[in-house]
Amino acid sequence: MANVVIIGTQWGDEGKGKVVDLLTQKADCIVRFQGGNNAGHTLVVNGRKYIFHLIPSGILHPGKVCMIGNGVVLDPAVLIQEMDRLRDCGMPVTPERLVISRYTHVIMPYHRALDLAREGRKGAHRIGTTGRGIGPCYEDKVCRGGIRMHDLLHRKALREKLKRNLEEKNFLLERFFGEKPLDAASIEEEYLAYGERLSPYLDNVSMRLQDADRKGCNLLFEGAQGTHLDIDHGTYPFVTSSNTVAGNACCGAGIGPTRIHTVLGVVKAYTTRVGGGPFPSELKDETGEAMRERGGEFGATTGRPRRCGWLDMAVVNTSVRLNGLSGLIVTKLDVLTGIPSLKICVAYKCGNERIQAIPPELEAIEACEPICEEFPGWENDISRVRRFSDLPGNTVRYLKAVEELAGVPLYVVSVGPGREETIVLRHPFE
Ligand code: GDP
Ligand code: IMO
Ligand code: MG
């Protein structure tokens, strides 16, 4: 029995979805604990591509229980769409397969409207959010005005909360942002219908996890976004609105820290970022362009091109610290095939100082210059390799350098988007 947390070590899109799908083979419950449909997790199974924004990436394995924890912000229309799409593919999502916390906060139409209005007003200073209402929903949670999933089951209570919220949100939308106000009655009907549809799935996720844990089940916690998009530890303000680090698996699902045994960080073999914010190892040249094209680096949620650059071990090492990583899972190694000379940023030069962690302050990051080491590339197609010992010597050298610089062992290497395009060195559930 083991309970494992998977998180992204960079700025998201590291391949967490693929990794969670792979590890689900030996897990019993798969739990999302933060974020919402700002996430886009892509799985390729038997040549077919699935993108999930809310449903945990374990859903394609029959017989496994997927859970959405209290720390998630949930847009019911998006969840229902994902459920319907799976049903149409012959994989109905029953209440035996999906459990939603009664205490998960609901993304309301005014959250989306405010997210877009705020970004629009910021102009050049915008964060580049996904526009899904994530930030405004978490704001309401913290200011104690939020609507939670169980509120959608009670007309009177929902009406009162909506009335109170809309008074304030419509004032902002109309008077401050110059946008159209929203209508309480139509929102009430729409969200009550969502409540009715989703009520069989609502439960106490924390209690369900305790039961599963006591029965000796393997629990797998699926992070969204990446460590450097964390609201506290990321490149603030160019971050998302939740804690993306492993510690939040406990708060966002309702499980204690002593119940977590392994934390694995997913590391893309290079670095990408969507939206604004600092990115010291960014490549604005043809190598960055080649990474984007070959890696298909276009957002799974918004379709925006992802910014690309060399692997930055100052970024990864900071993630080792913030998440207490037990080990690494390196993905998209195949994308580097054919680049004659590879670079890894091993530290930053900051004035006369050499630092090995990314500082959280924007001003300090701006003063950092990447110090890179060069590694010879490889030409051979590695996407068919399934054993570490069959990798080309230069690929092994690259991976060994990553392992050594991070100071934690390699568990898995991914050499293609497909579930089977994987080399497993250590399995966290064995
Ligand atoms: P996530 O948000 O961390 O789950 O990552 P995304 O799914 O947004 O982005 C990762 C993309 O890379 C997806 O399109 C995956 O199908 C793809 N992918 C994952 N692992 C590999 C790999 O090892 N090689 C290649 N070429 N693609 C991969
Ligand atoms: P996955 O789980 C990459 C980024 C947005 C923006 C910032 C804030 O697929 O790795 P938000 O809508 O959250 O308020 O936007 O965070 N962002 C992501 N970038 N992958 C993600 O998720 C992201 N989720 C949010 O682009 O810069
Ligand atoms: Mg993604």
Side-chain angles (χ1 to χ4, degrees), residues 11-14 16 38-41 115 127-131 134-135 224-225 229 239-240 274-276 304:
W11 282 285
D13 304 323
E14 296 90 351
K16 299 174 293 291
N38 47 349
H41 298 173
D115 192 358
I127 291 162
T129 71
T130 58
I134 306 295
Q225 290 78 55
L229 288 172
V239 292
T240 190
V274 202
R304 289 177 290 177

Side-chain angles (χ1 to χ4, degrees), residues 112 115 123 134 167 171 212 241 247 271 278 287 325 329 347 365 369 376 386 395 419:
R112 287 192 298 271
D115 192 358
I134 306 295
E167 258 170 23
F171 179 86
S241 299
T271 313
T287 308
L325 292 188
I329 294 178
I365 302 174
E369 257 180 69
R386 300 290 174 266
T395 318
R419 191 188 273 170

Side-chain angles (χ1 to χ4, degrees), residues 34 111 133 135 137 144 156 159 163 191 200 214 217 224 240 242 260-261 287 324 353 359 401 425 428:
Q34 47 75 225
H111 294 139
C137 185
R144 292 156 291 183
K156 193 161 165 266
R159 182 173 295 171
K163 182 172 174 283
Y191 279 72
R214 283 182 172 160
C217 292
T240 190
S242 63
I260 305 294
H261 307 102
T287 308
E353 248 189 297
L425 291 90

